[in-house]
Amino acid sequence: DQQVKQNSPSLSVQEGRISILNCDYTNSMFDYFLWYKKYPAEGPTFLISISSIKDKNEDGRFTVFLNKSAKHLSLHIVPSQPGDSAVYFCAARGVKAAGNKLTFGGGTRVLVKP
Amino acid sequence: GAGVSQSPRYKVAKRGQDVALRCDPISGHVSLFWYQQALGQGPEFLTYFQNEAQLDKSGLPSDRFFAERPEGSVSTLKIQRTQQEDSAVYLCASSLVGSGGLDEQYFGPGTRLTVT
């Protein structure tokens, strides 16, 4: 069963507008969440994270929102730029569980049109 | 500074062959992870090392998969008697702290394995 889901496989947005990426999880043991960005033929690179004790974390153009009761998080990119075109992965980690392995969603491909 | 490096970047193996994939983590990083990413999917956890100790191998799909990190730095993922379903990108990641710490994992570019 997929514990982390990204239900939108792709997203197209105009340059300068907001991109909103969504992620749902089922495991209540997850308490740390991360977003990674991936370009073709490269490994994922860390973008932003949020602990379950917060409901919002902001870093420049990127903001992550966490709704624990709904087991839902979202990534907002504003304004979107052509260089943001990539695949974005949501990931979750259960800090209290053994190890720090990440459970990833299936990814959302974002295309920012100039 | 140098990031996580992996070699080879691409590997084609005939079904039944053994392969070995190498990962050089960031110097000084305690934790090392291997993930498998099938086409169109997110990475899936395979195994985790803290220094030279393999603390979690719950994600290894079969006993054909074996990983080691004998000196706590470089790691090798070995797949014996490869099968077509092993075709995927194998990602290695490292992080500075050990289990329980909160820091992000830094990923290498991956090795794309194609089994024919």
Side-chain angles (χ1 to χ4, degrees):
Chain A
D1 63 333
Q2 255 190 311
Q3 297 187 63
V4 178
K5 286 186 181 179
Q6 294 176 253
N7 290 318
S8 297
S10 64
L11 172 70
S12 181
V13 65
Q14 206 66 35
E15 180 180 5
R17 307 293 290 269
I18 185 171
S19 296
I20 299 176
L21 291 77
N22 294 301
C23 178
D24 296 292
Y25 63 96
T26 57
N27 190 338
S28 58
M29 292 299 293
F30 291 147
D31 60 358
Y32 190 61
F33 304 90
L34 307 90
W35 285 93
Y36 279 81
K37 175 179 179 179
K38 186 180 184 305
Y39 293 117
E42 295 182 12
T45 55
F46 170 76
L47 198 55
I48 192 169
S49 62
I50 188 167
S51 167
S52 59
I53 62 174
K54 295 184 175 181
D55 55 15
K56 177 182 174 181
N57 188 26
E58 193 171 353
D59 184 2
R61 297 186 296 114
F62 303 91
T63 303
V64 57
F65 297 90
L66 175 63
N67 182 334
K68 277 190 68 177
S69 61
K71 293 190 175 67
H72 177 85
L73 64 156
S74 62
L75 173 68
H76 292 206
I77 307 172
V78 55
S80 300
Q81 298 174 355
D84 295 331
S85 297
V87 178
Y88 290 78
F89 291 100
C90 168
R93 187 168 65 198
V95 176
K96 295 175 184 173
N100 289 329
K101 62 185 179 185
L102 296 176
T103 302
F104 284 85
T108 297
R109 183 178 301 277
V110 173
L111 176 62
V112 180
K113 298 178 180 177
Chain B
V4 178
S5 61
Q6 293 185 245
S7 61
R9 291 292 312 276
Y10 303 91
K11 177 69 179 178
V12 178
K14 291 187 177 179
R15 190 172 55 180
Q17 281 185 333
D18 298 348
V19 298
L21 313 180
R22 178 188 169 105
C23 172
D24 283 88
I26 294 173
S27 178
H29 276 199
V30 170
S31 295
L32 186 145
F33 304 81
W34 283 97
Y35 294 86
Q36 180 190 58
Q37 185 177 16
L39 188 63
Q41 298 182 20
E44 290 193 2
F45 170 80
L46 292 177
T47 187
Y48 160 65
F49 290 87
Q50 183 171 311
N51 296 308
E52 69 278 1
Q54 189 175 20
L55 298 186
D56 188 344
K57 52 183 180 179
S58 62
L60 295 176
S62 78
D63 58 7
R64 297 185 296 104
F65 287 71
F66 172 76
E68 59 183 4
R69 193 186 185 197
E71 297 178 358
S73 55
V74 171
S75 177
T76 304
L77 176 67
K78 297 179 180 177
I79 309 173
Q80 296 177 322
R81 305 180 304 281
T82 53
Q83 300 179 6
Q84 282 193 315
E85 60 262 31
D86 299 335
S87 295
V89 174
Y90 290 85
L91 294 164
C92 175
S94 70
S95 67
L96 184 60
V97 299
S99 180
L102 286 181
D103 68 329
E104 66 263 25
Q105 297 176 18
Y106 295 85
F107 283 81
T111 294
R112 180 178 295 278
L113 173 65
T114 303
V115 182
T116 61

